[in-house]
Every structure is written in structure tokens, then in C-alpha cells.
Amino acid sequence: MSAGGTNAFAPGFYEGNRPRIVTSRFGMEDSHSLGRYVATGGYDGLRRALARPAQEVHEEVRSATVLGRGGAGFPAGTKWGLTPQDVWPRYLVVNGDESEPGTYKDRLLMERDPHQLIEGCLIACYAAGLSQCFLYIRGEMALAQERVATALNEAYAAGYVGRNILGSSFSVDIVLHWGAGAYVVGEETALIESLEGNRGMPRLKPPYFPAAIGLYGQPTIVNNVETLSNLPWLMVNGAAAYTAIGTPTSPGTRMVAVSGHVRRPGVYEIVNGTTTFRDLLFGEGFCGGMREGRSLKAFVPGGGSAPWFLPDQLDLPFEASQVGPAGSMLGSGAVMVMDDTTDIPKAALTLTRFYAHESCGKCTPCREGGTWLERILSRIVDGKGTDADLDQLLEVGQSICPGAFPHASSERLGISAVPFPYRMNTICFVGPSAYAPVHSALTLFREEFEARVTKRVHIPVTAVGASR
Amino acid sequence: MARLTEENVRLAQEIISRYPKARSATIPLLHLAQEQDGYVTDDAMAHIAELVGASPAEVYGTASFYEMFKFHPVGRYVINICGTMSCALMGAEDLMHHAEEKLGVRMGGTTDDGLITLERAECQAACTEAPCLQTNYRYSFRVTPESFDALVDDLRAGRLADEIPPHGVVARVRQHIPADRGAGVHAPEDVKSAPAWLDGKAAL
């Protein structure tokens, strides 16, 4: 429970002396039990919600601007309002398929405070008129599945979930569903395909939101675990208290995992909008700086899909309206830190290989392009590349994302930023994500690639094989 | 072997009953089959197809998309070592080499005694505790060559039998919705009106 040490019950999580909305129970050994949850104010948010008309609860969430925590950052209250009029039933699908490289917060929220998530699901269903909820947990997260299953069984027995909840006319089932290992299923339309029993491939767009056509062709709201976990606190404390934390465009807190070459890699609940990357990486209440005697080389600010930042960008806050123009995104709340010992082409390969491996195969630019990026990068890392390969990487990237690709500015290189987002030739973000690390590494550290490849000598064709 | 047992058919039917459409139960039932046999057999897929109203090819089509399903016997314990960026930055590659030497198999291989299958995995959502691995989806954090050896020795000596169930069993707790507590499952085409609690007013 000390402010300085790691949490005994959630390895990797640091409490710190900060406002905590979603991690308030992480320091309690039995935080996952119904008894502890109720003893610490649990299900009060649901009671308060049920005492008000659903429309009013929806309005409260909308006015709090609860940004989606899954990656895209779309406000939950607005998303709920995108359903077509008079089409029933509507469903809630909870995205607990957390798999973005560098990211883990949903897993801790499910393991450490499953009732908070369940209460969040109930509030969402009540407010938006959703009549069944499917809680999709990543297949590899055995403990999270056990904790959520136990919590659901407890909540059903105690009358918090199911028929006539707390004696009201509100009835909703929450069905625990789980995956079987596929990153792309974190994309919301692929999640729905998977939930329908199919291969987890993203659907063609439009419609852009499953709120229009989703599960079984019905209006469906897909929300992230952390997003929903904010709702119980919001119902108890109100939108004004929520927006009093952070900034107007990025209110509340968010969970961020910082991994790699820092002194105290960990998961932190930070104040949204105002906390900077410098605070997070070097602050004493956070990561406490780089490993002994090392300096920062680069960092990935928002999960493996995000273009990389340099020390030049350290003073940017966790605020999408500033990170976007600087050439990257906040994504799913994951920072991966590289110090001066890092082999940049190799580091890029570990991410590109991930996305190439996880391509579902539906879109050609991603299926073929991702694989080619991995192959070319592999041979460069193995010392078998040529200088022509460097241009080849960019050319393949162009077939996935045509036009200028976002990157950070660098004083050292004398280049200015290309703002986020990019154009893409694919349905979802897996293809562009395979290219992002390659593009960042090559743009910001080209000399490391050039040192690795053989220079090709161009011999004029006429000089070869003279037949005279 | 390999069609679902009577007890598992009962469980399968309970799972199916929670969804508006039976096909949605495909992945949970595939897990059930893998739990029963340690891997997913052709007979089990044919049986699941009957239960959810699909063809065996459709069930295989779904199953083959997902990494966790195995179509051949694997070890009692599957060790997945993460190789994505955060773990790679903290020495995952060295750990993989060490693991291959310790077990005497390459990535994807199974030890001669059939106890351990070694796999290279992608991000397992424990990035701050790198390098990490999962044994049948149970974590080991900040793994060193020494702690890896200790893990293997413990597995071989059966000391982790209580903590780590055999391959195929993921969650050891199942959801049960009591008959008198369930809100009821309806096919989407049978629902024509807004839920009662909206009180006739459309949601925003």
C-alpha cells in the first residue's frame, strides 16, 4: 500500500499519490470479491443510476466526455447515441481482448476489480437500452476469466445481474465469452465476427460503427473494459467531479503501462491531459528515469501501432489534440521505452513481425505487405540486406498507406513532424501498424540501417556480358 | 475418444443456451473439446458442428483461425515465451535460446516425455514484467535462465500440479446463470420493442 512500492497483489502496478478512479481497490488483497466491493461502495453507482431515467444517465455520461480507452479515444456517451431509432434489440459487447503490444490495464482491471467492470456494464446497458451484454475476454487471460466468472456468479446470486435487477424493471444478462488467441479480434467488427462463431476478420466499412449494424445485424455498442470501469465512479461522483480531473478535452484519468528500459517499468493511473511523457518516464512517482547510466533513445507513445517519439517529444502531455499533430497517437495507453543500447532495426522487427503474424489475411496490402516488411527487415537485421532494401521497405509501406506517413520532428535531423493520422488501403489498422515501426525507425535512425546493409554497385548494363 | 462426453454435452448445451444464436458458442465449445482431449480432434469438431448447427468445415474454419487451438497432441504443459518488443528489449531472445537448450527442443517442439511443448508467443499483456512467459496461460514474470530452469524442474517433479492445470483447461471457474435469475435469451427477430425500463421513451 506504500506510495513508492509495487503493489503486492497486482505485480507491475504502482499506486502513487494521485487521483484514482478505476484502481482504487487494487491495494486490497480481496479486491475481486463481492464482499470487499460492496463494503467499499460497490454497486452504489448502479443504485443511483436506476433511481434516474435512463436518458438522464446517458446524458450524464455524455457530458463527462468519457473517452474510449481501447485505442481510438471516441467518447462513450456519443457512441451510445449512434444507434438507429426504434431498432431493437440492442447489445453491449465488452472488448476485453487486450493484445496491443505494450498494453495491459484491462487485464488488471478484470483480475483485480471484476465487479467494477460488471457494474459499468450494467450502467451502460441501462442508459443505452441494451438488452444483453457479452463480455469478451482474451483467451490467454486465464486468471481474468476465472475472476470475472466468479464475480458474475456472485453478482447473479446477489441480484445485481439478471432478471429485475435490485427489484427494478431493469433486466439484463451478462454472458462471459472468451477468445482463443488472435490480435485482430480486438478490432470491434472482428470481435463481433468472432462472437458470432466465425473467423475473427474485420468487416467491410461502412457502416463505420457497429452501433448501426453489429452483432446479429443489430445495433451494438462495443466498449473497452477500462472505459466501462469508469462508470460506477462517475455515477456516484457525477460528471462535474469527473471533468474536474484532467483537461476539458481529456478528462478523468487513464491507465498507462510503461515498459522497457526504465528504472521502474509499471502500470500507472495518471491524470489525463496534463501528465507529460517526461513526468511518466522520469518522475519519481512514476518510472524514475532510465536504467543506471543510460539515456533515452526513443519511445513508442501509444502501443505497438503508434509512430515513435524521440526525446524531443518528452514534454507533450497525454492529450490527443497535441500528440496527433506531433506525429503519433495515444492509442491504448502503452509506452515502450528504448535506451541508447537499443538495436533500432531489431526493435522495429519485433513489432513488425507481430503485426505480420497477426494479419488476418483479408486485405492484400496487409497480408502480403506485412509479410514482405518482415522478410526485408529480417534480412537487414541478419546483415544480408542491401541499400536497395531500404527503399523497398518504404515502397511496400506506400502500398499499405499511400502518401505521407506520420512521424515525429527531430532537431538533430532537422525534420518537422508529419501529423497523424495516415491514409490506408486496408479495412483495419493491422496493416498500417506493421509499417509504423519500420517507417519510424527508418526515418529517425536511417544511419543504423545503412550501417547494416551492403552497398550495391550499379554497373551499367552495357558493360556486362559483352558478346562481341 | 474425441466426441464430447455426456457431461460435456450437458455443459455445451448450457453454454449454447446463453446466446441468441447457437453458432456464437463455437469458440467456447472448441475450448471445451480441447479441455477434454488436450487438443481439438476432428470428431470433436464434427460433434460441435452438430450442436451449433454448422458444418464440420465451418467449425474447422473458425478453429484454425485461432492460435490457442491445437489439432495435434501437445505436451501436458505448453510454455509460451513472449518475443514482442517489451520482452525483446529485456532479453527474450536469450531466454528463448536458453529454453531451447534446457528442454532440448526447438520452438514448436515437444519434449520426448511428452511433458512440455515450447512455443514462441506474441505479446501476453505483462509488458512491464518482461521477459514473461505463460505455462498453460499462467504467468511467470521477469524470467531469468535460473527461474526458467526452476519452473521446468517444478513441472517435471509435479510440484505445480495444483496451480497449473493440464493443457486445454484455461479457466477453472465456469459461469452459471441460475434458471430463476436469468433475464432470458431471445432471438433478435423475436424482439420488436424497446426494453421495459426505458419506459416508452426512446434512448438518446
Side-chain angles (χ1 to χ4, degrees):
Chain A
M1 288 276 260
S2 76
T6 186
N7 184 300
F9 313 114
F13 175 73
Y14 290 87
E15 298 180 355
N17 187 20
R18 295 178 281 276
R20 282 157 68 199
I21 291 178
V22 291
T23 64
S24 64
R25 291 180 193 85
F26 277 29
M28 301 164 190
E29 183 170 9
D30 57 352
S31 63
H32 47 86
S33 70
L34 179 64
R36 174 60 58 197
Y37 190 66
V38 170
T40 50
Y43 290 110
D44 280 357
L46 175 66
R47 273 202 187 83
R48 289 182 192 225
L50 294 185
R52 302 163 68 181
Q55 296 76 5
E56 214 178 290
V57 175
H58 186 168
E59 196 47 51
E60 182 97 36
V61 174
R62 193 205 297 268
S63 65
T65 323
V66 181
L67 300 182
R69 302 299 204 271
F74 197 81
T78 311
K79 200 181 213 182
W80 298 354
L82 297 175
T83 47
Q85 282 199 331
D86 284 333
V87 183
W88 310 97
R90 299 170 181 176
Y91 299 111
L92 175 65
V93 176
V94 183
N95 192 342
D97 193 50
E98 179 174 64
S99 328
E100 177 73 15
T103 312
Y104 80 99
K105 59 197 177 65
D106 297 341
R107 175 169 72 79
L108 291 183
L109 287 168
M110 292 187 283
E111 290 176 359
R112 298 300 309 159
D113 207 343
H115 283 286
Q116 177 175 253
L117 170 63
I118 291 168
E119 189 181 355
C121 296
L122 295 168
I123 293 166
C125 287
Y126 177 73
L130 315 174
S131 51
Q132 199 173 359
C133 169
F134 300 93
L135 209 167
Y136 192 120
I137 304 181
R138 180 172 169 185
E140 291 95 333
M141 293 180 178
L143 181 60
Q145 292 168 26
E146 290 178 352
R147 290 270 166 86
V148 174
T150 305
L152 279 171
N153 291 343
E154 288 174 325
Y156 265 100
Y160 291 109
V161 189
R163 186 182 304 169
N164 299 121
I165 293 168
L166 297 173
S168 71
S169 61
F170 175 48
S171 298
V172 71
D173 277 329
I174 299 180
V175 175
L176 174 60
H177 188 90
W178 54 104
Y183 164 77
V184 67
V185 167
E187 198 275 350
E188 58 185 6
T189 60
L191 189 74
I192 288 169
E193 281 293 315
S194 182
L195 185 49
E196 290 185 0
N198 302 324
R199 296 169 77 82
M201 293 173 155
R203 290 178 178 172
L204 270 172
K205 297 168 183 70
Y208 293 99
F209 288 99
I213 301 174
L215 183 64
Y216 313 129
Q218 296 297 123
T220 303
I221 302 300
V222 182
N223 279 152
N224 169 267
V225 166
E226 186 188 347
T227 314
L228 292 165
S229 295
N230 275 279
L231 301 183
W233 190 97
L234 176 60
M235 280 302 118
V236 170
N237 297 279
Y242 189 83
T243 51
I245 302 170
T247 59
T249 43
S250 298
T253 62
R254 70 178 295 166
M255 289 176 77
V256 180
V258 191
S259 56
H261 297 150
V262 283
R263 219 177 283 238
R264 290 203 318 186
V267 180
Y268 302 89
E269 181 169 358
I270 65 166
V271 172
N272 224 348
T274 57
T275 309
T276 66
F277 288 101
R278 190 184 298 282
D279 295 338
L280 193 56
L281 268 54
F282 290 91
E284 273 316 311
F286 297 104
C287 299
M290 306 301 293
R291 297 190 296 189
E292 198 57 45
R294 294 293 164 199
S295 59
L296 175 64
K297 190 169 187 177
F299 62 100
V300 191
S305 305
W308 299 3
F309 275 167
L310 297 167
D312 302 49
Q313 281 79 38
L314 272 176
D315 291 313
L316 286 170
F318 273 77
E319 168 67 62
S321 64
Q322 293 189 49
V323 168
S328 191
M329 61 168 186
L330 291 171
S332 50
V335 181
M336 292 181 280
V337 185
M338 294 169 261
D339 71 14
D340 54 340
T341 64
T342 307
D343 178 335
I344 291 287
K346 210 168 174 180
L349 175 60
T350 64
L351 286 175
T352 296
R353 182 166 46 204
F354 174 91
Y355 294 105
H357 178 86
E358 298 294 342
S359 173
C360 77
K362 186 163 182 165
C363 310
T364 311
C366 170
R367 184 185 64 238
E368 302 299 322
T371 310
W372 274 107
L373 289 174
E374 185 198 349
R375 278 190 201 172
I376 299 169
L377 201 49
S378 280
R379 73 177 176 238
I380 294 172
V381 167
D382 290 343
K384 292 173 186 156
T386 70
D387 53 356
D389 283 339
L390 305 189
D391 294 334
Q392 187 77 57
L393 284 173
L394 298 174
E395 206 180 304
V396 173
Q398 280 294 308
S399 66
I400 303 171
C401 293
F405 196 83
H407 65 74
S409 66
S410 162
E411 209 166 299
R412 180 179 67 90
L413 298 170
I415 55 172
S416 46
V418 170
F420 201 81
Y422 36 69
R423 292 172 58 204
M424 52 201 258
N425 285 339
T426 52
I427 295 173
C428 86
F429 294 94
V430 173
S433 300
Y435 182 48
V438 178
H439 183 270
S440 288
L442 203 47
T443 306
L444 304 174
F445 300 96
R446 191 174 177 103
E447 69 282 2
E448 290 197 30
F449 288 84
E450 282 173 348
R452 280 289 241 293
V453 297
T454 317
K455 290 258 183 299
R456 218 180 241 176
V457 181
H458 292 278
I459 303 167
V461 175
T462 49
V464 181
S467 56
R468 285 165 283 172
Chain B
M1 155 149 150
R3 278 176 71 87
L4 297 180
T5 62
E6 222 169 278
E7 167 62 7
N8 280 337
V9 169
R10 194 193 60 73
L11 277 171
Q13 275 154 353
E14 187 189 334
I15 292 170
I16 290 169
S17 73
R18 297 203 282 257
Y19 297 93
K21 298 201 173 185
R23 281 285 284 273
S24 284
T26 305
I27 292 173
L29 298 198
L30 285 161
H31 276 296
L32 197 59
Q34 184 148 285
E35 192 172 323
Q36 176 182 298
D37 299 322
Y39 69 106
V40 182
T41 65
D42 290 350
D43 288 348
M45 285 189 279
H47 197 177
I48 290 168
E50 292 166 25
L51 292 168
V52 303
S55 71
E58 285 169 321
V59 171
Y60 179 65
T62 294
S64 58
F65 186 80
Y66 299 91
E67 211 105 349
M68 288 174 75
F69 296 130
K70 312 295 179 196
F71 303 101
H72 302 284
V74 291
R76 181 178 176 84
Y77 299 109
V78 175
I79 298 182
N80 284 298
I81 303 181
C82 175
T84 315
M85 187 184 234
S86 304
C87 285
L89 289 172
M90 299 305 283
E93 201 171 300
D94 292 343
L95 178 63
M96 288 185 199
H97 288 312
H98 175 81
E100 287 184 333
E101 271 177 31
K102 167 80 182 173
L103 295 173
V105 296
R106 302 294 297 270
M107 286 294 158
T110 302
T111 54
D112 288 340
D113 58 3
L115 191 70
I116 297 172
T117 298
L118 184 64
E119 287 183 351
R120 184 193 192 289
E122 298 293 356
C123 190
Q124 296 172 338
C127 315
T128 70
E129 308 309 296
C132 71
L133 64 78
Q134 288 187 323
T135 308
N136 292 352
Y137 308 106
R138 267 76 186 169
Y139 287 102
S140 301
F141 296 139
R142 304 195 184 209
V143 184
T144 61
E146 295 73 38
S147 69
F148 182 84
D149 291 354
L151 169 70
V152 170
D153 295 344
D154 284 347
L155 290 174
R156 284 184 172 148
R159 283 191 288 269
L160 294 174
D162 289 342
E163 285 104 287
I164 305 179
H167 180 261
V169 180
V170 186
R172 288 166 295 185
V173 182
R174 294 184 203 283
Q175 180 182 15
H176 289 293
I177 300 179
D180 61 335
R181 286 291 317 137
V185 179
H186 307 282
E189 50 274 18
D190 295 341
V191 181
K192 303 273 183 255
S193 55
W197 69 86
L198 291 183
D199 205 15
K201 298 181 206 102
L204 287 176

